[in-house]
Amino acid sequence: MAEMIAISLSAKVAATLSGSAAADFSSLVAVRSGIAAAARDLELLRAFLRFADSRRGEDALASAWVDQIRDVGFELEDVADEYAFLSGGGFVRACANFGAWLALARRLGKARVRLRDLSDAKERYGIRPAEATASSSAPDGGTGPVVGRKLAEAAHFLEDGEIVGFAAHRRSLMKWLTEDIDSRRSLVAVCGMGGVGKTTLVTSVYKEVAASRHFDCAAWVSVSKNFTTDDLLRKIAKELHRDVRAGMPDIDEMDYRSLVEALRGHLAKKRYLLLLDDVWDADAWYEIRNALVDDGQGSKIIITTRSQNVASLAASTRIIMLEPLPKQEAWSLFCNTTFREDANQECPHHLEQWAFKILDRCCGLPLAIVSVGNLLALKSRTEFAWKNVHDSLDWDGSSVRGIGQVSSILNLSIDDLPYHLKRCLLYCSIYPEDFLIKRKILIRLWIAEGYIEEKGQGTMEEIADDYLHQLVQRSLLQVTLKNEFGRAKRLCIHDLIRDLILQRSIKEGFTVFSKCQPTLGPSKKIRHLILDRWIDKLPSSLSNLLNLRYLGIRSTLIEELPQDLGQLHKLQTLDTKWSRVQRLPPSIRKLNNLRHLIVFRRRSADFRFAFPGTAIEFPDGLQNLTCLQTLKYIEADEKMVKSLKSLKHMKSLELSGVHESNLIHLPSSISTMSGLLCLGIVSRDANVILDLEPFYPPPLKLQRLSLTGMLARGKLPSWFGHLDNLMQLRLCSSELRGDSIGLLSSLPRLLHLTLKNAYTDKSLSFPEGSFPVLKKLSLHELPNLSHIEFQKGSLLHLNVLILGRCDELTEIPQGIENLIELDNLELYEMPSEIIEKIQDRETLVGDYKDSRRTTTVKNTVWYNGQLLQKTIYTNLFTIQI
């Protein structure tokens, strides 16, 4: 964390001092040069700070020193923020604030003196990297890696009752290891967050397989984070010779080449099993694989890892992703551990309430469940004693043997993060427990906080997206919902990980939590402001928050933005979606750093009814906002559409109220947006004809396209056939004829297609080879449609078919049995005839010949003002038209 401060301050100073505002004045009081000098001092301390931070918890002196360095770093950051605030008004304002400049200079001077004193103190008190030792005085017997190795070794001696919840995974591993007919050497990977039971699972399987003599020889090796290639090869060699010490070469004296030759000689013509436990980096495999011969004997290597990137070394069909235990299996493990000395191993009835509460705190992690179970086994079986355990349960700060091990294992994943990922993860501590985090909003908040720096050709949003992906790959963030492109849409943090980063954030002063209603004065520090939905008015001092980067009033009752909003020159994101804001102030044209503008007005103040909503008009001056990447739900007019030509960085554009007089200017404006990925066009009314043929050059990079309105000539423009990157297409009120659908059928990446009141013909046919990768097809409100045909070889990857309010469609689509990947058929207010025919073929769950062809049918209807849904299971083989 201390190293993060040095890096953060360096970046902030570079950005702050790059501006020329008030530079001449600030130099008079030496503020500008003083901030830069302090940042250089901290930069020189970076390597040392990394070392000292790693010894926190082991060395009290180093911890106290780092805490004081951190405090100075925060003070210097505050000085840099205040400098930016005072400089924001130009030279005249700087002169008016002469007293503030002098006070700032004094604060800076004191901070620099304190920094120099601390730098001297590290030499005076002997806080030196050279004195770091391998030993540790940390609780529970050592540092995280030491604890990890002890727990891994202990997995060899677990009883069967202590291994719960892995039956299916265990069967898969046994099958892959002993029944695989492939004679090549192959890898198997088991991946999951720390403490989820990876080592326990694979060690259990390893012991059984090794004892069965299916393999000629076997080795179990713990790799850990700080491995060296030579040492890892030596450990493998020693494990292979564990039972045959006689004739064992002098491995400790061998160099890399000799070790590789010795291992290859020993493994030649043998079927061997190697378990590499706790692999943190794919390099561990790349650096030893030359020593592991592949001579067609069917040898197997098992890898356990927290990283999905490392797991991908194995074939996708040979990867097991371990998740926390479900409640029933967690309860079983808890009882087996806590009451292991009892004959029935059951929890007494009077303790069940506290047992469930304690188990909830374990969040399904086997390591946590076993640790707390061992603790409870030593306690008296009274409600008072168990309540005390529950109330005092502190994963990160406990000195109780076993409980502290949980944090040691989980903290390894956090400590392994480079500074740029660590601060992004710690930022996530602001979210409440079980909160579903929106990916795009999180990315924009990271940027607003200054955590993301542009590198090469990538935008800050792309870099932040990569950071988020890395945190997911390391099992520190969990994806709960993916979008149509397979990317994370909603995420959450495992409760135990959240507890750890929350404690770190508070301890390090990274985040401050307030339990009272905050008040906003003219603050220099606030970088983002998100208001609760029940707020109906913005603070009057909002325009004084000159360092504000993110303003979010989504889903609030706020009706008006301040007229002087344009004073927030550093604002990057303005999100008023589903608020009551009716118009944007003219001063918004001054927000030259604005990157994301999302505005959409709710009509009703009742949060139960978000729809319908209305777009908002933009005042003159859109052409000034040249940094815009996202512009959503803006009402189009001729002048505004022309000004879009200046927005060359646009990636996502949604326009409403489009009509013929402004549509003619849209092609030339969009032609300048070389990186446009998402486009939405909504016509002003049903009489407007959208002629898109003149778009040249067409936006060929589009991934998502939504069109609402009557298309000219009842067909799609010819360039649609060249949208090779298009993944999602939504057409509404388009009045298309059958021949237009053929233009879409060969798009190579189209995953989702929605037609809503967009097709006029009576019949819709999908020929062989059409829509080769489509996964979801939605057909809504097609009033004339009475016949659908899916020919053999069409829509080979369709998973979901949705039919809604197609009043003339009374027959089951012909050839639906040809949709070999169809899992879900969703019907919404469809004619009763089609429902009855599907119900006639209903199959009881489990009562069918081929479960792979069973489709779940969900029928939804309105009845007495309520939505009612019935689920039906049917086998597509039984459907004959």
Side-chain angles (χ1 to χ4, degrees):
M1 179 67 186
E3 184 194 6
M4 287 166 50
I5 298 169
I7 297 170
S8 174
L9 182 61
S10 297
K12 179 177 289 189
V13 168
T16 301
L17 302 187
S18 62
S20 59
D24 293 337
F25 187 89
S26 65
S27 63
L28 296 178
V29 287
V31 175
R32 187 181 180 91
S33 60
I35 296 175
R40 288 194 297 271
D41 292 341
L42 271 179
E43 184 71 19
L44 291 173
L45 285 171
R46 267 183 61 183
F48 189 84
L49 285 169
R50 185 185 302 117
F51 152 74
D53 229 1
S54 69
R55 291 179 62 186
R56 293 174 64 85
E58 305 172 35
D59 187 324
L61 187 60
S63 296
W65 184 83
V66 169
D67 286 342
Q68 293 186 53
I69 285 285
R70 185 197 64 230
D71 291 342
V72 176
F74 285 149
E75 176 70 8
L76 289 168
E77 277 201 289
D78 289 348
V79 170
D81 280 337
E82 189 162 354
Y83 172 89
F85 174 77
L86 293 174
S87 301
F91 187 79
V92 174
R93 179 170 175 172
C95 292
N97 288 317
F98 181 71
W101 280 109
L102 291 178
L104 185 62
R106 287 194 293 270
R107 284 181 65 189
L108 175 61
K110 291 179 180 179
R112 291 193 64 193
V113 169
R114 194 174 168 204
L115 183 60
R116 283 196 298 270
D117 290 344
L118 286 169
S119 183
D120 295 339
K122 72 179 175 64
E123 299 296 335
R124 188 162 61 251
Y125 293 111
I127 308 173
R128 298 189 184 92
E131 296 184 6
T133 64
S135 63
S136 172
S137 59
D140 289 305
T143 60
V146 173
V147 172
R149 285 195 295 273
K150 288 182 178 180
L151 291 173
E153 295 287 350
H156 287 272
F157 311 107
L158 292 176
E159 302 294 335
D160 290 342
E162 298 177 83
I163 304 174
V164 174
F166 301 136
H169 294 317
R170 199 175 190 281
R171 286 193 296 270
S172 295
L173 281 175
M174 292 294 294
K175 181 179 179 180
W176 296 343
L177 295 178
T178 62
E179 300 178 23
D180 193 349
I181 61 174
D182 192 346
S183 61
R184 296 173 299 173
R185 180 195 68 194
S186 59
L187 275 72
V188 173
V190 178
C191 182
M193 65 182 296
V196 80
K198 302 181 295 296
T199 301
T200 300
L201 167 64
V202 298
T203 302
S204 167
V205 172
Y206 170 85
K207 286 167 58 182
E208 181 174 340
V209 173
S212 70
R213 300 299 179 185
H214 181 80
F215 292 91
D216 299 319
C217 56
W220 185 103
V221 175
S222 179
V223 179
S224 77
K225 183 167 58 175
N226 300 315
F227 78 95
T228 65
T229 305
D230 289 5
D231 283 345
L232 183 54
L233 291 172
R234 289 190 184 99
K235 289 168 72 173
I236 294 172
K238 289 178 179 179
E239 279 290 312
L240 289 170
H241 289 86
R242 174 182 286 270
D243 299 324
V244 283
R245 292 294 182 184
M248 178 178 172
D250 189 4
I251 294 172
D252 291 332
E253 300 300 321
M254 289 185 179
D255 59 13
Y256 171 77
R257 181 175 176 180
S258 300
L259 286 166
V260 171
E261 291 173 347
L263 278 171
R264 291 184 66 85
H266 182 76
L267 297 175
K269 300 303 178 182
K270 291 180 181 177
R271 179 191 294 154
Y272 58 88
L273 173 64
L274 174 61
L275 195 161
L276 299 174
D277 186 48
D278 198 22
V279 179
W280 288 77
D281 196 310
D283 287 345
W285 167 247
Y286 293 134
E287 293 179 14
I288 67 169
R289 63 179 177 178
N290 288 334
L292 306 175
V293 295
D294 182 9
D295 50 6
Q297 299 297 313
S299 298
K300 306 296 179 188
I301 293 95
I302 310 174
I303 292 174
T304 71
T305 181
R306 307 181 188 205
S307 167
Q308 293 177 30
N309 285 333
V310 174
S312 65
L313 290 168
S316 60
T317 55
R318 292 294 184 269
I319 299 174
I320 290 176
M321 297 297 300
L322 280 191
E323 301 291 342
L325 295 177
K327 288 186 177 180
Q328 183 175 352
E329 293 175 342
W331 177 252
S332 177
L333 179 60
F334 176 82
C335 291
N336 290 353
T337 304
T338 309
F339 308 106
R340 56 181 173 270
E341 301 301 329
D342 296 2
N344 57 11
Q345 294 187 340
E346 292 182 357
C347 179
H349 180 71
H350 71 284
L351 293 177
E352 284 186 353
Q353 177 186 359
W354 288 108
F356 285 128
K357 288 184 177 181
I358 292 171
L359 190 59
D360 284 343
R361 296 285 304 277
C362 297
C363 310
L365 277 192
L367 175 62
I369 295 170
V370 170
S371 298
V372 78
N374 287 333
L375 174 62
L376 289 170
L378 303 175
K379 301 292 182 181
S380 61
R381 296 184 181 181
T382 65
E383 293 183 62
F384 177 77
W386 282 42
K387 178 182 183 297
N388 283 342
V389 171
H390 172 271
D391 294 345
S392 62
L393 197 56
D394 180 2
W395 299 115
D396 197 24
S398 177
S399 59
V400 177
R401 179 169 179 81
I403 301 300
Q405 289 180 343
V406 178
S407 66
S408 295
I409 295 300
L410 296 178
N411 273 322
L412 276 176
S413 297
I414 301 173
D415 292 335
D416 184 57
L417 294 173
Y419 83 93
H420 57 277
L421 293 182
K422 188 178 292 184
R423 61 182 178 180
C424 289
L425 178 65
L426 292 184
Y427 178 85
C428 295
S429 64
I430 69 170
Y431 292 106
E433 188 174 334
D434 299 325
F435 187 83
L436 292 181
I437 305 168
K438 295 182 179 180
R439 176 181 62 89
K440 289 183 178 179
I441 290 180
L442 178 59
I443 283 173
R444 291 165 188 163
L445 289 171
W446 282 347
I447 293 171
E449 288 294 335
Y451 298 160
I452 312 298
E453 301 173 23
E454 289 186 339
K455 299 176 183 177
Q457 299 299 314
T459 65
M460 287 194 287
E461 285 76 10
E462 291 167 342
I463 293 167
D465 204 19
D466 178 62
Y467 288 179
L468 186 145
H469 178 70
Q470 291 184 51
L471 291 172
V472 170
Q473 292 290 311
R474 291 169 178 260
S475 303
L476 292 169
L477 292 180
Q478 299 172 330
V479 177
T480 58
L481 179 65
K482 293 184 177 181
N483 64 13
E484 60 276 6
F485 308 142
R487 295 168 63 186
K489 187 173 183 178
R490 299 285 189 276
L491 305 105
C492 67
I493 313 170
H494 190 279
D495 288 348
L496 290 188
I497 294 292
R498 181 185 173 274
D499 285 348
L500 293 178
I501 64 174
L502 180 60
Q503 290 300 320
R504 284 196 181 203
S505 294
I506 294 173
K507 188 182 299 181
E508 306 279 359
F510 190 82
T511 303
V512 177
F513 294 88
S514 173
K515 295 185 178 180
C516 61
Q517 180 71 25
T519 57
L520 298 177
S523 174
K524 308 98 177 174
K525 300 179 185 180
I526 295 177
R527 286 172 166 260
H528 78 264
L529 178 63
I530 302 175
L531 298 180
D532 184 82
R533 63 163 51 188
W534 302 112
I535 302 294
D536 59 5
K537 189 175 182 181
L538 281 167
S540 59
S541 59
L542 176 70
S543 56
N544 291 326
L545 306 179
L546 298 187
N547 276 319
L548 193 68
R549 265 80 164 175
Y550 188 106
L551 176 57
I553 58 172
R554 179 179 291 223
S555 298
T556 66
L557 298 176
I558 293 172
E559 297 185 356
E560 189 175 3
L561 293 171
Q563 291 301 307
D564 52 358
L565 184 72
Q567 289 185 204
L568 305 178
H569 296 295
K570 296 185 179 181
L571 194 66
Q572 297 172 347
T573 298
L574 175 59
D575 185 351
T576 73
K577 187 176 181 181
W578 297 122
S579 72
R580 301 272 286 164
V581 171
Q582 302 181 45
R583 62 183 61 85
L584 297 171
S587 64
I588 194 172
R589 67 171 69 97
K590 299 178 182 179
L591 300 179
N592 297 330
N593 289 306
L594 199 63
R595 303 168 73 91
H596 307 283
L597 178 58
I598 305 158
V599 290
F600 197 59
R601 177 178 177 264
R602 65 164 58 244
R603 291 182 181 175
S604 171
D606 191 333
F607 286 107
R608 295 175 298 172
F609 307 106
F611 293 96
T614 57
I616 295 178
E617 293 184 6
F618 195 95
D620 293 346
L622 182 63
Q623 66 274 10
N624 297 332
L625 309 185
T626 55
C627 290
L628 269 183
Q629 298 181 22
T630 305
L631 180 60
K632 286 192 173 184
Y633 318 117
I634 291 292
E635 192 75 18
D637 60 51
E638 183 174 346
K639 190 170 183 179
M640 189 276 285
V641 171
K642 287 182 178 179
S643 68
L644 289 174
K645 186 179 295 186
S646 303
L647 310 183
K648 298 179 180 179
H649 300 292
M650 187 64 65
K651 293 184 178 296
S652 182
L653 176 64
E654 303 257 3
L655 297 177
S656 294
V658 175
H659 54 89
E660 292 89 340
S661 64
N662 56 48
L663 180 63
I664 60 175
H665 303 291
L666 193 56
S668 61
S669 292
I670 287 182
S671 67
T672 66
M673 304 174 185
S674 59
L676 190 65
L677 302 177
C678 303
L679 175 63
I681 297 175
V682 179
S683 65
R684 183 177 59 186
D685 53 54
N687 297 318
V688 173
I689 297 177
L690 301 177
D691 188 356
L692 305 180
E693 192 65 45
F695 275 64
Y696 188 84
L700 297 181
K701 291 184 180 180
L702 280 181
Q703 296 178 353
R704 184 187 291 123
L705 176 60
S706 176
L707 300 174
T708 300
M710 187 191 315
L711 293 178
R713 298 169 291 280
K715 64 180 184 178
L716 297 167
S718 58
W719 49 265
F720 257 57
H722 302 289
L723 296 178
D724 291 345
N725 294 299
L726 193 65
M727 296 184 184
Q728 181 183 16
L729 175 62
R730 186 174 189 271
L731 300 174
C732 299
S733 307
S734 305
E735 298 195 6
L736 292 177
R737 294 189 294 271
D739 52 352
S740 275
I741 302 300
L743 193 62
L744 303 173
S745 64
S746 60
L747 292 179
R749 300 184 67 189
L750 187 62
L751 299 174
H752 289 192
L753 173 62
T754 297
L755 301 178
K756 182 177 181 182
N757 190 27
Y759 185 78
T760 58
D761 285 5
K762 295 182 178 181
S763 178
L764 181 57
S765 179
F766 297 88
E768 179 182 0
S770 60
F771 297 97
V773 299
L774 196 71
K775 291 182 177 293
K776 183 176 180 180
L777 174 63
S778 301
L779 304 175
H780 292 272
E781 300 177 24
L782 307 183
N784 300 325
L785 186 66
S786 59
H787 178 75
I788 301 176
E789 179 184 6
F790 299 107
Q791 296 182 11
K792 191 172 184 178
S794 65
L795 292 90
L796 292 175
H797 295 283
L798 192 72
N799 299 135
V800 180
L801 173 62
I802 303 175
L803 302 175
R805 291 180 175 173
C806 298
D807 296 337
E808 297 299 317
L809 188 62
T810 59
E811 297 287 340
I812 297 173
Q814 181 179 344
I816 195 171
E817 69 275 10
N818 294 323
L819 303 179
I820 57 177
E821 295 291 334
L822 188 65
D823 294 324
N824 292 283
L825 173 61
E826 298 179 16
L827 306 175
Y828 179 72
E829 293 207 310
M830 289 294 290
S832 58
E833 293 91 338
I834 192 172
I835 306 300
E836 291 168 359
K837 289 172 183 175
I838 291 177
Q839 286 178 330
D840 290 342
R841 295 168 171 80
E842 182 176 3
T843 306
L844 294 175
V845 179
D847 184 23
Y848 40 77
K849 294 181 180 179
D850 189 346
S851 62
R852 292 171 298 177
R853 300 301 303 273
T854 299
T855 298
T856 302
V857 181
K858 295 180 180 179
N859 179 38
T860 304
V861 296
W862 278 100
Y863 183 77
N864 288 339
Q866 291 184 321
L867 274 177
L868 302 179
Q869 187 178 87
K870 180 180 180 180
T871 300
I872 304 168
Y873 299 94
T874 184
N875 191 323
L876 293 179
F877 275 134
T878 68
I879 293 182
Q880 300 293 331
I881 303 301

